[in-house]
Amino acid sequence: MTQEITLKSLWDDAYAASLDEPGKLLYRSNLLGSDLRITNFGGGNTSAKVKHKDPLSGEDVEVLWVKGSGGDIGSMKLDGFATLYMSKLMQLRAQYRSLDQEDAMVEALGHTIFNLNPRAPSIDTWLHGFVPYAHVDHVHSDAVIAIAASADQVRLTEEIFGGELGYLPWQRPGIDLGIKLGRMAEQNPKLKGVVLGQHGLFTWADTSKDCYLLTLEMINRAAVWLDANVKRPVFGGERVPALEVAERKATARRLMPLIRGRISAGAHMVGHFTDAPEVLEFVNSHSLSDLAPMGTSCPDHFLRTKIKPLVVPADADAAALDGLIAGYRADYAAYYDRCKRPNSPAMRDPNAVIYLVPGVGMISFARDKATARVSAEFYVNAINVMRGASGVSKYQGLPEQEAFDIEYWLLEEAKLQRMPKPKPMAGRVAFITGGAGGIGSASAERLLREGCNVVLADIDQTALDQVVAGFAQRYGRDMVRGVVMDVTSEAAVIAAVDYTVGEYGGLDVVVNNAGITSAAAVEDTTLAMWNRTMDILSTGYFLVGREGYRVLKAQGIGGSMVFVSSKNGVAASPGASAYCTAKAAEIHLARCMALEGAPMGIRVNVVNPDAVLRGSKIWKGEWSEQRAASNKIAVSELEEHYRKRSLLQRSVFPEDIAEGVYFFASDLSAKSTGNFLNVDAGNAVSFTR
């Protein structure tokens, strides 16, 4: 047994001794959910039957604590558990007569809630409630599902677990399956759990620790047996050699915007790429063409990944992708038509979620980065299941009609309808230069608040890391990335935009914001000063704009480019000829790009700030000193000086500029291009004219 195959107990007796029963249940749940070999994100359930005083009668009653609907046992807190009266659950069991009552019974669960707990119970509540043991685990271990998804699942369950685990054939989760599971446990007191066909593992015990250890033991037993018995080479061996790492990433970055543009008509999609070893083993294998169309087995898998993936050749061009994606949509529509019921919800997005690229890896798309990443993790689970099942028997996916009935289950539809409305920028991706500075970080925050994914580019590694870490803590690590970049380096700009595409699948918003200041009389302006200013503010904006434009054009779904220029771009100031000229160049470059981008829906607009002192890097050091000297005031008086100079007598802050950036980045300005917006509290010399 190797470390890679088997799981080790992480249970800490000293820590567990300090916890009450619900606390131990949470501890056990978090331990189980911390390892994808045990269960996938959001998958599986844990439960405990605990004595509590009834808040009405004051009597001791038995309460089922079970993971609530939509939770994740690896990251949940105590409020993630639903709590239900066991006595009322058993009353519902006694009332149940036939399968046509199942959905009504789910509605009836609301009458069993203990202590007005708002957490909704999941459909697996029945399977936990009717097992006559205090502690129950249900997990989606790849090793166990490999057994459960094989043609010889009954024989293998007996051979591997020696009668310690029972077997129940596939059935959609609900009260009927819960009753069958409970009866099996009642009638076979020597059983320690059950393998559910095509689904996963149930285990039970009298204590929380024993249940945890038993779950690990059964998973390890399956994993070790599979490793010892699986046929080699797995998946029939290699058919296509893997490309080199750099070539794999380059191919993915070429394909992702092309795919994204073709599947984002209804809503912007966000991508994820992985070339993990198990993915390459599968996509490069002889078995790919046979196994991929069969779809996944575990319901949690195909709810995340759709019933099957789309295989895309590494050299596919735009025309080839048009045909492949259209073919997948037609196939999905035919699947819907074959399987739909009279009361089925309308067909959902017919595009694939998973794209398998031989020689390269796997691309996934969803409406947000976290879902795209998790969908990829689920398909890795499916690959592991197919490897194990096909290596010791014959892999079999869930029957098509059963898969459809899960995917378009009215209860699943109701859960989808309860989800909050997407934010205005959900699914979109923004690339912001000067991202660690005041205006850049304020713009990022504004976009993040509206659901946009953001990549911050900055030359200052330390400041960038701090800003990105702060955003990741507030908005989640999937929403934000940072990349060190010098805007004057063509190679660095190309690499940074490529990185953005690789992380999120494409690009929708480019905010050109990198800044520098220079102040000197014309006769004192050195060529070095002039060139550096132009390199950053003119050439740098061109390089970033060009690379962003290329991605937007390849996607074919429009987009927005926002240049952060300055009042000095439209109104000259003495002693700053290089700065003013470069800022004017930014504005005119934006106008030129607006002309070329308009036929493709690519909008290019400009925000012109003035005197944004707080949080601004360019006002630190010489620039503030030079501006103070030019106005014959102290540096400490600059903010007040500029406030009084404005027509509105108000100071301008980074978050004010961010509002302008958001306006042009979002659909609020869908009919605006080639414009500039002054955010300067009013300055007559910079009025548009």
Side-chain angles (χ1 to χ4, degrees), residues 144-160 167 169-170 195 197-198 225-226 231 291 294 297 385-399:
V144 176
I145 301 177
I147 304 304
S150 68
D152 300 310
Q153 53 193 254
V154 179
R155 178 182 63 80
L156 292 177
T157 297
E158 175 62 31
E159 180 178 341
I160 296 167
Y167 168 84
W170 160 258
V195 172
Q198 263 78 31
W225 189 92
L226 284 173
K231 292 179 289 189
L291 292 175
M294 293 178 67
S297 171
V385 167
M386 287 186 277
R387 178 195 297 112
S390 61
V392 297
S393 177
K394 182 179 180 181
Y395 170 76
Q396 55 184 24
L398 205 59

Side-chain angles (χ1 to χ4, degrees), residues 290-310:
D290 293 328
L291 292 175
M294 293 178 67
T296 55
S297 171
C298 178
D300 280 50
H301 292 176
F302 64 73
L303 280 173
R304 294 280 190 167
T305 66
K306 273 203 168 69
I307 191 166
K308 63 181 179 181
L310 174 60

Side-chain angles (χ1 to χ4, degrees), residues 361-378:
M362 175 171 63
I363 298 166
S364 56
F365 278 99
R367 294 198 177 189
D368 58 77
K369 176 66 177 183
T371 303
R373 174 180 56 78
V374 169
S375 295
E377 292 172 358
F378 271 78

Side-chain angles (χ1 to χ4, degrees), residues 404-424:
F404 180 89
D405 289 343
I406 288 285
E407 184 178 357
Y408 283 91
W409 196 357
L410 292 177
L411 295 178
E412 184 69 24
E413 178 70 12
K415 185 164 66 175
L416 293 175
Q417 294 301 322
R418 289 195 300 269
M419 294 179 67
K421 182 181 178 181
K423 293 183 178 181

Side-chain angles (χ1 to χ4, degrees), residues 566-567 569-571 587 591 605-608 647 664 672 674-680 682-689:
S566 167
K567 176 269 294 182
V570 293
I587 294 173
R591 290 167 173 158
N605 294 284
V606 179
V607 177
N608 287 333
L647 294 174
F664 281 137
S672 178
N675 292 319
F676 69 73
L677 173 67
N678 293 329
V679 186
D680 57 10
N683 194 321
V685 297
S686 59
F687 283 1
T688 57
R689 58 189 182 273

Side-chain angles (χ1 to χ4, degrees), residues 529-577:
M529 178 188 291
W530 178 271
N531 285 341
R532 177 164 171 73
T533 304
M534 291 296 171
D535 283 348
I536 294 173
L537 298 183
S538 182
T539 304
Y541 276 51
F542 159 71
L543 290 173
V544 171
R546 184 190 68 182
E547 292 311 306
Y549 184 90
R550 285 172 170 170
V551 177
L552 297 179
K553 182 177 179 181
Q555 287 178 153
I557 52 174
S560 175
M561 308 187 79
V562 185
F563 287 22
V564 179
S565 183
S566 167
K567 176 269 294 182
N568 296 80
V570 293
S573 295
S577 57

